[in-house]
């Protein structure tokens, strides 16, 4: 870890300009060369060729899980390393790799004793989720969440009503998941080393709907109470129409009968948290 390309997202939960400048100062303190910067999504993500041309050996990501997902997918075939810093709302990947350490502490630790590891993912076609995939009518709450994030409160009431109406509607049907209740309101799929961890949430009463909606709006979309939990290597979407899915919180439309399975990245992520 000598030459850094720094990717940030100013719209992420905690990646403010002042914090970005403070981290650049940490790079300088450690003697790390800053060879490129990207402010996503205003700037396009760098390609592997651009990183190689700049002499970068490590990409440092200071953003939320959605931006991290986009960058990791774009650089899946690049040979360098990726250091993830907590710059979003939940920062689940950063916690998995570094525990509760703050960004500056992570940079120091990564420079001194960082270990390169792989991570499991959930895959559906060309889309991947490192944190998790969400399926089912509850995904419609994403529209209200984006309005809150952007501060555009006009239309929020309509988005909330749509989320409640869709959540009370008939749930999603999946094929190849024995023991899972059909027509769940939300299905959370998390990656694992050997199998997918699948949890179905069935929220029928208004109190459960309100709780689920609040978790969407506050960003803590993995906190919903799991009613049924099973494990599987792969499964398919059983609906006849395209369905909305959230990959690490970002919306994607999936075709009917899309197969969902697991996989593992190459060794590319810098981990500072001791294994075990």
């Amino acid at each position: 870890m000598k030459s850094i390309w720094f990717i940030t997202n100013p719209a992420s939960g905690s990646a403010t300009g002042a914090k970005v400048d403070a981290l650049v100062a940490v790079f300088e303190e450690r003697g790390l060369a800053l060879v490129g910067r990207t402010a996503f999504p205003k700037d396009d993500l760098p390609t592997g060729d651009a990183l190689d041309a700049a002499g970068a050996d490590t990409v440092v990501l200071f953003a939320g899980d959605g931006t991290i997902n986009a960058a990791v997918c774009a650089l899946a075939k690049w040979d360098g390393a990726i250091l993830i810093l907590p710059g979003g709302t939940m920062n689940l990947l950063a916690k998995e790799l570094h525990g509760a350490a703050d960004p500056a502490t992570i940079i120091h630790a990564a420079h001194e004793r960082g270990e390169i590891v792989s991570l499991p993912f959930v895959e559906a076609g060309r889309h991947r989720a490192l944190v998790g995939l969400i399926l089912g009518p509850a995904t419609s709450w994403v529209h209200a969440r984006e309005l809150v994030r952007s501060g555009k409160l006009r239309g929020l009431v309509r988005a909330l009503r749509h989320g409640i109406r869709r959540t009370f509607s008939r749930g999603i049907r999946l094929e190849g998941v024995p023991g899972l209740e059909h027509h769940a309101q939300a299905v959370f799929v998390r990656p694992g080393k050997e199998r997918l961890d699948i949890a179905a949430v069935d929220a029928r009463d208004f109190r459960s709907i309100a709780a689920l909606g609040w978790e969407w709006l506050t960003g803590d979309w993995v906190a919903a109470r799991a009613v049924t939990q099973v494990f599987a290597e792969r499964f398919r979407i059983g609906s006849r129409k395209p369905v909305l899915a959230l990959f690490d919180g970002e919306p994607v439309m999936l075709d009917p009968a899309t197969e969902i399975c697991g996989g593992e990245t190459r060794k590319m992520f810098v981990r500072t948290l001791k294994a075990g």
Side-chain angles (χ1 to χ4, degrees):
M1 183 170 156
K2 297 179 180 179
S3 300
I4 302 298
W5 190 294
F6 195 22
I7 299 177
T8 63
N9 184 340
S12 293
S14 57
T16 64
K19 291 182 179 180
V20 169
D21 292 341
L23 294 179
V24 171
V26 176
F27 296 151
E28 295 176 352
E29 179 184 350
R30 298 297 309 189
L32 300 170
L34 183 59
V35 299
R37 294 181 65 166
T38 297
F40 182 79
K42 179 182 178 181
D43 302 330
D44 292 335
L45 291 169
T47 63
D49 289 341
L51 295 174
D52 290 338
D57 58 53
T58 304
V59 165
V60 177
L61 280 161
F62 184 47
D65 292 322
T67 300
I68 290 169
N69 181 298
V72 169
C73 289
L75 299 175
K77 296 182 179 180
W78 181 56
D79 291 332
I82 294 178
L83 176 63
I84 294 173
L85 304 178
T89 304
M90 294 181 293
N91 303 311
L92 296 176
L93 284 173
K95 291 175 182 176
E96 181 177 348
L97 294 166
H98 314 296
D102 63 83
T105 300
I106 292 171
I107 294 171
H108 287 296
H111 193 214
E112 294 171 359
R113 51 177 171 79
E115 176 189 11
I116 306 298
V117 300
S118 62
L119 289 177
F121 57 77
V122 181
E123 185 172 50
R126 62 185 180 87
H127 304 288
R128 292 180 176 180
L130 294 164
V131 173
L133 165 69
I134 300 180
L135 300 164
T139 55
S140 59
W141 285 90
V142 71
H143 304 300
R145 185 199 68 185
E146 292 306 310
L147 289 173
V148 172
R149 279 185 174 181
S150 63
K152 299 177 181 179
L153 300 185
R154 185 177 182 180
L156 179 59
V157 172
R158 181 168 52 190
L160 290 172
R161 288 174 177 171
H162 175 70
I164 292 174
R165 184 171 62 252
R166 287 285 293 123
T167 306
F168 273 119
S169 68
R170 188 175 183 181
I172 191 168
R173 181 180 180 86
L174 304 177
E175 297 176 352
V177 193
L180 189 70
E181 294 290 335
H182 289 310
H183 309 309
Q185 269 51 58
V187 177
F188 297 76
V189 186
R190 302 186 191 182
K193 289 292 185 181
E194 298 180 356
R195 298 177 298 169
L196 300 174
D197 181 346
I198 306 167
V201 177
D202 192 1
R204 297 290 176 177
D205 59 277
F206 185 81
R207 181 177 180 181
S208 297
I209 295 296
L212 185 60
W214 176 253
E215 286 152 5
W216 278 110
L217 295 180
T218 57
D220 195 6
W221 48 267
V222 296
R225 179 172 57 91
V227 176
T228 305
Q229 184 176 33
V230 298
F231 297 88
E233 293 183 358
R234 61 186 65 240
F235 64 92
R236 290 182 180 275
I237 295 174
S239 65
R240 297 180 180 179
K241 298 179 180 180
V243 299
L244 178 64
L246 301 179
F247 288 79
D248 292 347
E250 299 303 315
V252 171
M253 294 302 297
L254 294 180
D255 293 330
T258 295
E259 183 177 81
I260 297 169
C261 58
E264 189 169 342
T265 69
R266 64 175 178 83
K267 289 188 176 182
M268 62 192 300
F269 297 98
V270 182
R271 180 175 67 191
T272 61
L273 190 67
K274 293 183 179 180

